[in-house]
Amino acid sequence: MNDLTPAIEVSGVRKAFGQVTALDGVDLSVAPGSLTALLGPNGAGKTTLVRIIATLSRADEGRVRVLGFDVAAQPKQVRARIGLTGQFAGLDDGLSGRDNLILIGRLAGLRRRQAVERAGELAATFGLTDATNRLVRTYSGGMRRRLDLAASLMARPALLVLDEPTTGLDPASRQQLWTELGALRAAGTTMLLTTQYLEEADRFADFVYVLNHGTVVASGTAAQLKGTGSLDEAFLALTREGAI
């Protein structure tokens, strides 16, 4: 993949669950090194699209390429190059934070020594060194989310997919997580973010897509979308019933 190739390219993607159409001809593109936000009300299709991009689900129609690889034809290559953190931390409560990270690293193909070293680095990066030997069941919500993010970075992914990563966090934990994400962004990591917090898209995203009823109803920078008003106002106007 060269610098001009999109990190994510979605073309004409459709997905239905029985009689319910979750995605109806979605097109979007994510530039390398950017943070792109995907906004939409509950049921708009955001998580369905994320699952397709992350190879966890297959589109009924259309094509998705991630870092130059087709997600349907080359899922292993895609999985080896991306990190995924979601609304609910995918951690083993019966293991320590350190052992969770090492396990993820080993599953990603790291040798044990590499996994141990990487786990120590990420624990320090995310302020978890003092808690690394504690069982995850003793962690607070903010600590679990930071550990989940650390786990998604064990294999140094070129693309980080964030599905509502700050949902349920208190303001201090959200700010801390965004400080850490900001450092990753500055280092050149490409990010795709879904969020219910519009101020996060307004403050941090380079580009924004708005989904409603499985269709992209608007795209642009936050400044372009909100015009002379607020992003909240623009979002409500774009996603109100009958807006498309």
Side-chain angles (χ1 to χ4, degrees), residues 6 36-37 51 54 67 72 87 97 107 142-143 147 149 167 179 188 195 215 234:
T36 297
R51 288 181 59 82
L67 302 172
Q87 303 172 43
L107 291 172
M143 292 170 67
L147 182 63
L149 183 58
T167 295
T179 297
T195 181
T215 302

Side-chain angles (χ1 to χ4, degrees), residues 10-200:
V10 177
S11 303
V13 165
R14 299 179 187 276
K15 179 70 176 179
F17 299 96
Q19 299 300 310
V20 178
T21 299
L23 298 171
D24 191 10
V26 171
D27 299 307
L28 65 80
S29 181
V30 173
S34 71
L35 192 159
T36 297
L38 187 61
L39 306 181
N42 290 335
K46 303 186 302 296
T47 295
T48 299
L49 182 57
V50 163
R51 288 181 59 82
I52 291 171
I53 290 170
T55 77
L56 299 176
S57 183
R58 291 179 69 97
D60 297 331
E61 297 179 28
R63 187 182 188 190
V64 178
R65 293 185 67 83
V66 173
L67 302 172
F69 297 97
D70 186 291
V71 298
Q74 301 165 296
K76 289 183 179 180
Q77 290 90 330
V78 173
R79 291 172 194 152
R81 291 164 172 81
I82 68 171
L84 172 65
T85 184
Q87 303 172 43
F88 307 102
L91 305 168
D92 188 329
D93 284 353
L95 296 178
S96 68
R98 177 177 181 273
D99 286 344
N100 265 280
L101 294 178
I102 292 172
L103 175 61
I104 294 297
R106 295 287 284 155
L107 291 172
L110 299 181
R111 295 181 178 178
R112 178 166 180 80
R113 180 176 178 181
Q114 292 175 313
V116 170
E117 291 177 353
R118 182 66 173 156
E121 292 171 3
L122 289 170
T125 297
F126 290 99
L128 295 169
T129 300
D130 291 342
T132 191
N133 290 320
R134 286 169 41 193
L135 295 181
V136 169
R137 68 167 60 101
T138 69
Y139 282 25
S140 68
M143 292 170 67
R144 290 171 65 90
R145 196 59 50 81
R146 282 184 280 137
L147 182 63
D148 190 45
L149 183 58
S152 71
L153 295 170
M154 279 295 291
R156 293 182 172 86
L159 169 66
L160 185 58
V161 181
L162 304 154
D163 189 16
E164 300 190 14
T166 58
T167 295
L169 297 186
D170 60 68
S173 295
R174 284 177 60 201
Q175 183 57 51
Q176 184 174 16
L177 188 61
W178 271 108
T179 297
E180 289 147 358
L181 289 172
L184 293 172
R185 181 185 180 190
T189 302
T190 304
M191 300 185 196
L192 176 65
L193 166 75
T194 75
T195 181
Q196 294 285 353
Y197 301 108
L198 300 186
E199 71 272 17
E200 292 183 345

